[in-house]
Amino acid sequence: MGFEHTSVMPNQVHAYQNLKPGDICVDCTLGGCGHAMATLKAIGSEGLLIGIDQDMDAITNARKLFHPFGDNVRLYHNNFSDLPDILKDAGINGVNSILLDLGFSLNQLTQSKRGFSFKKDEPLDMRMDVRNSLTAHQVVNTYSEKQLADIFFTYGEERFSRRMARAIIEKRACAPIATSLELAAVIEKAMPARAKAKQKIHPATRVFQALRIAVNRELERLETFMQAVPSMLVKGGRISIISFHSLEDRIVKQRLRAFENGCTCPRQFPQCICGFVKQMESVTRKPVTADADELKANPMARSAKLRVAQKI
């Protein structure tokens, strides 16, 4: 079975990347390679695409798709936060475009068998990169009630985090919670009936998001990556980032804002004395979102936000 995934906002991303023949570009999260294929067509035979993904399924798929392009594509089975080291090892001092799509693929939901979805009965794994040691099974079955509640509240913004954590502790006292459907049932039972009736999403949605973030250290790695952005771009190079929930978007927005306007001097000072040097400027003052036609064809794009900035 082929790798399932539909790239979000392909037209908007391509327009904002502002690519030219011969550019060196990075796709930090290949997924189904939709964005990467469009990038390759834009940069032509003299360009170079560096493709990264922490999921080996995505790399295997990319190797098949990009085989005809030969040396125009270099693929890396890494996390996107490893990009500074990848560029250093490749002897590349700066690139023209970096794309980071923070969503997870349809393939991971439907075919990975790693328990990302509460619609299938799969082992509680949730690792994007199976080389990592921590799994969702370990978190759910060994973390304390307070640790679980903190994860659900901090990474899932779940208002009933304590109730859900307590329900997990009680359930696992009898036997470990082994699968995604088992966990979803525990969470659903823990949510008050009145809240459940008012909520449009499944009761386990935020908990599964929180566990995935915790297992893969997603926010920590995003913070690390964002700090290095200016150093990885050439002058005029652009960073394009697609986020899917408020925690990610907040990190992206705040870091890009700091690169653009990070002066800490009081406003009444006639000139800056803190030593701030502007490194980036926003190309999109507000996040770009999917249009109505795309939302109709791909409902997974409904929460996507695209932010673009350029190195000056």
Side-chain angles (χ1 to χ4, degrees), residues 90-207:
I92 297 173
N93 296 321
V95 301
N96 303 97
S97 173
I98 299 173
L99 173 63
L100 178 60
D101 181 342
L102 294 168
F104 56 100
S105 69
L106 184 60
N107 186 79
Q108 287 165 332
L109 280 174
T110 62
Q111 297 185 41
S112 71
K113 298 180 181 179
R114 281 176 255 159
F116 287 106
S117 173
F118 42 75
K119 295 180 180 179
K120 289 187 173 185
D121 201 23
E122 297 176 340
L124 270 180
D125 189 314
M126 294 196 191
R127 290 175 295 175
M128 299 282 193
D129 186 342
V130 296
R131 295 173 299 183
N132 296 332
S133 59
L134 184 65
T135 67
H137 184 278
Q138 289 173 265
V139 174
V140 167
N141 288 288
T142 66
Y143 279 28
S144 69
E145 182 177 332
K146 183 181 185 306
Q147 286 176 308
L148 290 173
D150 287 347
I151 287 172
F152 301 158
F153 184 77
T154 303
Y155 296 149
E157 300 178 302
E158 174 55 64
R159 58 185 294 212
F160 299 108
S161 59
R162 292 181 180 178
R163 291 178 62 121
M164 292 172 177
R166 191 177 310 118
I168 288 173
I169 298 296
E170 293 172 356
K171 179 67 175 179
R172 79 187 195 194
C174 302
I177 300 172
T179 71
S180 50
L181 283 189
E182 283 182 57
L183 176 61
V186 173
I187 298 303
E188 186 170 11
K189 187 176 180 180
M191 178 173 280
R194 185 177 297 180
K196 197 185 307 180
K198 293 180 180 180
Q199 188 166 278
K200 294 181 180 180
I201 61 175
H202 190 283
T205 300
R206 295 189 183 95
V207 167

Side-chain angles (χ1 to χ4, degrees), residues 6-57:
T6 301
S7 299
V8 301
M9 293 187 279
N11 296 330
Q12 296 94 320
V13 168
H14 181 69
Y16 279 110
Q17 280 180 303
N18 193 32
L19 301 176
K20 305 178 295 299
D23 278 353
I24 301 175
C25 303
V26 182
D27 189 322
C28 289
T29 42
L30 284 167
C33 297
H35 289 305
M37 191 64 76
T39 295
L40 268 175
K41 292 178 181 178
I43 63 179
S45 59
E46 295 182 358
L48 172 64
L49 172 68
I50 295 171
I52 304 170
D53 207 291
Q54 62 182 329
D55 192 331
M56 192 60 207
D57 289 348

